[in-house]
Amino acid sequence: MRPHKTALFVAFAVSTLSPANAALADPAKTINTQKLAVKVETIASGLDHPWAVEALPDGAYLVTERPGNMRIIRNGKVSEPLAGVPEVHARGQGGLLDVAVDPKFASNRTIFFTASITEDGGSGTAVFRAVLSPDERRLTDVKRIFLMNKLSRGNIQYGARIAIARDGSLFVGLGDRGEQDRAQDFHDDAGSIIHIKADGSIPADNPFKDGAKAQPEIWSKGHRNPQGITFDAVDGKLYTAEHGARGGDEINTPQASKNYGWPAISYGRNYSGTKIGIGTAKEGMEQPIFYWDPSIAPGAIAVYRGKMFPEWNGDFLVTALKFELLSRLDRDKSGKVVEQERLFEGDFGRLRDIVVAQDGALLITTDEDDGALLRVSRATD
């Protein structure tokens, strides 16, 4: 289960899709991995750059499409776009991004979502709270609960994944917006992990809650573009998967007030090949627990805790856009994170989101013009 999205009950929906939105799903594929065979089913296709997926309590799926639509997928059929979604800045890497279901959704029907939006001064990452109507046709009571404090031009590196903590508060990753030095400015939300309550107010345990040394919502700084964020359901630790430049994609464990170094330190280089910052280490700056070189362009991260794949218990599962794969990593006996396996390389295109469903299956979205929602389960003999 992925705690940051409060993964709920999941139905095994594979059927005919809405002719207005999607083509007939492809047949299931069986793929051998190092330890077992898995079955990959296409739950829905014909989606327009699906960015995030959530499972609803009754077995339907809630999916965002980056150009600005949110849809319900039920019994293999894709709904029309939900009404009530606010206008988004759907340019470059921006648009309608993550979605997360409130832990009490069954009683309050509340969801949270992120988007890049435009106001005077440019665009930036915003967080919204809304209620899904009982007929699943619209969002109601839509309220913006956060907007990064400095907007800017350019359409890249918005971050935007949400992790919901056990107390119902939200951790959200914000990218540096392509302006490196902003990640070291503690009075700038860019390049940070923020921590807010469900109503957008500041939690009492935030390290800079008085606003004197940093923005009160900031939890940690020095992040380039965190596009994956999750809690481990067992130990409660927060983990991020972050885009580096050329090389240097990272997994970090954001802790209160800590500085994760970007762009002062990095294991990557500029796309021109030139050096970034002063090197790979500096006193007072944290080291990643793992990094990739060359970069894989991570999409999302999950810590596997499920019954379907006990062989993967505790492993990190990280989707990749550039390399079109799922990276499986675990810790060796010394605690070091090591990459054990690269799954589905080139089989399904750019892999964006990943959720561990209630039954232990994986839900994955593909970031394509003809995007899909995939379900990965254990293959049976």
Side-chain angles (χ1 to χ4, degrees):
M1 183 163 51
R2 182 164 89 177
H4 82 284
K5 288 206 169 182
T6 318
L8 303 170
F9 298 101
V10 177
F12 310 126
V14 182
S15 186
T16 304
L17 306 181
S18 169
N21 301 314
L24 194 65
D26 295 330
K29 296 181 179 180
T30 298
I31 297 174
N32 291 319
T33 73
Q34 288 179 0
K35 296 183 177 181
L36 67 150
V38 300
K39 179 172 66 173
V40 183
E41 302 167 272
T42 301
I43 301 300
S45 60
L47 300 170
D48 191 351
H49 294 277
W51 215 89
V53 60
E54 273 283 53
L56 299 178
D58 61 1
Y61 306 106
L62 183 62
V63 175
T64 63
E65 294 175 306
R66 184 164 47 78
N69 291 327
M70 192 178 297
R71 302 180 189 269
I72 302 289
I73 300 173
R74 181 181 298 283
N75 298 323
K77 295 182 179 179
V78 182
S79 76
E80 294 298 320
L82 302 182
V85 176
E87 183 177 354
V88 303
H89 180 74
R91 296 180 183 178
Q93 296 172 6
L96 183 60
L97 303 171
D98 204 13
V99 64
V101 170
D102 187 278
K104 297 179 181 179
F105 177 87
S107 60
N108 65 20
R109 302 191 64 79
T110 296
I111 67 169
F112 303 92
F113 60 95
T114 58
S116 58
I117 66 171
T118 303
E119 288 193 351
D120 291 343
S123 67
T125 305
V127 184
F128 294 85
R129 187 181 72 232
V131 174
L132 178 63
S133 65
D135 64 5
E136 297 182 343
R137 294 184 178 181
R138 67 182 57 251
L139 299 183
T140 64
D141 301 323
V142 179
K143 182 180 180 182
R144 192 181 78 197
I145 60 173
F146 172 80
L147 175 63
M148 63 191 307
N149 67 326
K150 296 181 181 180
L151 305 184
S152 56
R153 306 300 177 186
N155 304 310
I156 62 173
Q157 291 166 210
Y158 291 95
R161 289 281 177 205
I162 303 169
I164 300 182
R166 290 170 177 171
D167 65 0
S169 62
L170 310 181
F171 287 80
V172 184
L174 302 179
D176 69 2
R177 300 288 285 108
E179 299 171 326
Q180 297 182 359
D181 292 342
R182 296 179 65 183
Q184 287 298 316
D185 180 352
F186 278 69
H187 289 283
D188 187 336
D189 288 322
S192 69
I193 305 299
I194 63 161
H195 181 214
I196 57 175
K197 292 184 179 180
D199 62 0
S201 61
I202 304 301
D205 62 344
N206 273 20
F208 308 111
K209 58 182 180 294
D210 63 3
K213 294 182 179 180
Q215 288 297 110
E217 61 272 14
I218 287 177
W219 182 258
S220 60
K221 281 288 284 184
H223 304 277
R224 183 176 183 267
N225 192 22
Q227 288 201 349
I229 186 168
T230 192
F231 283 98
D232 185 341
V234 171
D235 63 18
K237 286 186 178 179
L238 181 68
Y239 294 98
T240 56
E242 309 185 20
H243 285 249
R246 199 179 80 179
D249 293 346
E250 299 179 352
I251 296 178
N252 284 302
T253 55
Q255 298 177 47
S257 79
K258 297 291 182 68
N259 186 336
Y260 291 82
W262 176 260
I265 60 173
S266 174
Y267 284 89
R269 301 183 74 85
N270 289 310
Y271 294 110
S272 64
T274 58
K275 182 180 177 180
I276 295 173
I278 64 170
T280 59
K282 183 180 180 180
E283 185 176 357
M285 294 184 175
E286 306 302 310
Q287 288 289 304
I289 63 171
F290 183 82
Y291 70 93
W292 288 268
D293 189 4
S295 299
I296 65 168
I301 185 173
V303 181
Y304 189 80
R305 302 292 184 185
K307 298 179 180 178
M308 188 168 291
F309 306 117
E311 300 91 341
W312 296 348
N313 185 50
D315 289 358
F316 293 113
L317 301 175
V318 181
T319 54
L321 299 161
K322 177 182 176 182
F323 281 6
E324 301 182 353
L325 56 82
L326 178 65
S327 174
R328 181 178 69 84
L329 309 97
D330 69 2
R331 297 175 186 264
D332 63 19
K333 293 181 179 179
S334 71
K336 181 180 179 181
V337 176
V338 290
E339 186 170 49
Q340 294 285 10
E341 188 171 14
R342 294 188 168 195
L343 307 170
F344 316 143
E345 193 161 4
D347 289 338
F348 303 103
R350 290 161 51 87
L351 303 187
R352 171 66 73 177
D353 199 11
I354 183 167
V355 172
V356 181
Q358 183 70 19
D359 65 351
L362 307 178
L363 303 175
I364 296 174
T365 62
T366 68
D367 186 7
E368 304 285 351
D369 291 336
D370 181 8
L373 171 61
L374 308 176
R375 177 177 181 269
V376 182
S377 60
R378 196 178 192 97
T380 56
D381 295 333

